[in-house]
């Protein structure tokens, strides 16, 4: 066995190979799923944060589901306080609402803005996008060398994030090189249009309760309307496994809040 720049021994003396090194002797790969040992985002115990992103040469779409705490309705719960974080300017619009049995008209309470709740969600969103764009950047050599790929998925053992690319998206990256961030080894995130749904408490059919449940749907500003109608939320229903897929379906029936974010 030979080693090169793609291998590195850990403290136990075990040599780890990069995916590029492992796959170099495979000539025809159609479907590839890579699992990282853990997710990139360090979050507090009890906090839920999941994301799924689709990429071509740049981000096509991303959906993020978060909650301050998760518990069963037949057990005592501990609700984590939301910490302060950096925020961006936001604008809001309204749509049809569904209150999940709570007479709040689907609106975000004023405390969400004053106690750092919105700022924390912005940090979750930025952190998830950075993690997704870093994964996308690392996949470049594999995509370039394995032109028979029809599907590529990069996930992690924690179930935190999933990056997906289909054959059309893979081919797009081969003919249209990505724009890399000057600050780090990741793909540049374009200017974004985002929609946010929030529920102070969301009880799912299986008894799981999400405190401070938040869903964020993200598309690039320059082609959000051309690839799919911006009012279409059907693509969100399959983003997460159960029970979190149901949580996403419930949240999109509530009031919609719109945000914009610059490229970074």
């Amino acid at each position: 066995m030979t080693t090169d720049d793609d291998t590195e021994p850990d403290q136990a003396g075990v040599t780890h190979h990069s995916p590029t090194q492992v796959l170099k002797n495979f000539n025809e790969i159609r479907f590839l799923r890579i699992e990282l040992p853990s997710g990139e985002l360090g979050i507090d115990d009890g906090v839920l944060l999941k994301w799924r992103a689709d990429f071509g040469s740049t981000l096509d779409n991303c959906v993020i589901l978060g909650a301050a705490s998760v518990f069963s309705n037949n057990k005592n719960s501990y609700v984590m306080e939301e910490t302060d974080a950096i925020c961006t300017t936001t604008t809001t619009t309204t749509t049809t609402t569904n209150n999940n049995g709570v007479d709040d008209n689907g609106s975000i309470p004023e405390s969400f803005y004053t106690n750092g709740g919105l700022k924390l969600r912005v940090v979750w969103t930025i952190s998830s996008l950075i993690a997704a764009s870093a994964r996308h950047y690392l996949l470049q050599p594999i995509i370039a060398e394995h032109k028979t790929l029809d599907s590529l998925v990069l996930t992690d053992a924690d179930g935190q994030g999933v990056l997906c690319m289909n054959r059309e998206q893979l081919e797009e990256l081969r003919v249209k090189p990505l724009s890399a961030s000057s600050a780090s080894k990741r793909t540049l995130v374009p200017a974004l249009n985002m929609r946010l749904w929030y529920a102070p408490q969301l009880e799912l059919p299986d008894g799981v309760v999400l405190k401070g449940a938040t869903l964020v749907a993200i598309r690039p500003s320059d082609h959000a309307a051309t690839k799919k109608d911006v009012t279409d939320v059907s693509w969100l229903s399959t983003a997460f496994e159960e029970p979190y897929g149901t949580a996403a379906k419930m949240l999109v029936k509530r009031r919609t809040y719109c945000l914009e974010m610059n490229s970074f």
Side-chain angles (χ1 to χ4, degrees):
M1 179 182 294
T2 61
T3 62
D4 55 22
D5 291 340
D6 284 332
T7 63
E8 182 179 349
D10 63 12
Q11 294 180 349
V14 178
T15 299
H16 298 278
H17 297 265
S18 73
T20 305
Q21 176 77 3
V22 172
L23 296 170
K24 68 179 184 179
N25 293 324
F26 291 84
N27 297 323
E28 295 187 9
I29 303 175
R30 296 280 303 280
F31 306 99
L32 178 62
R33 177 185 174 92
I34 301 172
E35 184 175 289
L36 302 176
S38 61
E40 300 92 328
L41 306 182
I43 56 175
D44 295 330
D45 290 341
V47 172
L48 170 72
L49 185 58
K50 292 181 174 290
W51 59 265
R52 174 190 165 116
D54 286 72
F55 277 82
S57 61
T58 186
L59 179 71
D60 275 349
N61 60 69
C62 180
V63 57
I64 301 164
L65 178 67
S69 66
V70 183
F71 62 94
S72 175
N73 62 2
N74 59 1
K75 296 180 180 179
N76 293 329
S77 63
Y78 172 70
V79 181
M80 301 192 65
E81 293 185 357
E82 297 163 349
T83 58
D84 196 16
I86 299 172
C87 188
T88 60
T89 303
T90 66
T91 58
T92 64
T93 58
T94 59
T95 60
T96 305
T97 63
N98 181 302
N99 304 317
N100 190 37
V102 179
D103 188 17
D104 60 0
N105 196 32
S107 301
I108 291 179
E110 186 64 27
S111 60
F112 185 75
Y113 303 100
T114 59
N115 69 2
L118 177 60
K119 295 179 183 180
L120 179 60
R121 270 62 180 190
V122 171
V123 170
W124 285 354
T125 300
I126 293 173
S127 299
S128 298
L129 288 168
I130 288 175
S133 62
R135 291 189 189 187
H136 183 246
Y137 182 90
L138 293 174
L139 289 173
Q140 288 181 88
I142 294 174
I143 296 169
E145 294 174 14
H146 298 278
K147 295 180 172 56
T148 58
L149 276 172
D150 288 333
S151 173
L152 177 56
V153 175
L154 180 52
T155 185
D156 57 77
D158 296 337
Q160 187 179 87
V162 181
L163 183 149
C164 300
M165 299 181 71
N166 59 30
R167 185 167 185 81
E168 180 182 348
Q169 292 165 329
L170 291 163
E171 188 58 31
E172 178 186 317
L173 178 57
R174 294 189 186 101
V175 301
K176 184 180 179 182
L178 59 80
S179 297
S181 169
S182 59
S184 58
K185 293 182 178 181
R186 63 175 179 82
T187 302
L188 185 70
V189 177
L192 304 170
N193 286 332
M194 302 185 293
R195 286 177 295 161
L196 181 147
W197 297 268
Y198 175 80
Q201 180 166 306
L202 192 71
E203 183 169 348
L204 306 182
D206 65 351
V208 171
V209 178
L210 308 183
K211 281 282 190 179
T214 310
L215 182 71
V216 184
I218 303 168
R219 286 197 176 117
S221 302
D222 62 355
H223 68 280
T226 57
K227 288 204 170 183
K228 206 173 276 190
D229 186 346
V230 293
T231 62
D232 177 21
V233 294
S234 61
W235 60 286
L236 301 176
S237 62
T238 58
F240 305 108
E241 296 181 353
E242 294 301 333
Y244 302 115
T246 295
K249 294 175 186 177
M250 295 171 67
L251 282 165
V252 296
K253 296 178 181 179
R254 300 177 66 84
R255 177 167 292 180
T256 303
Y257 289 79
C258 298
L259 304 89
E260 295 180 351
M261 185 175 292
N262 294 330
S263 176
F264 62 94

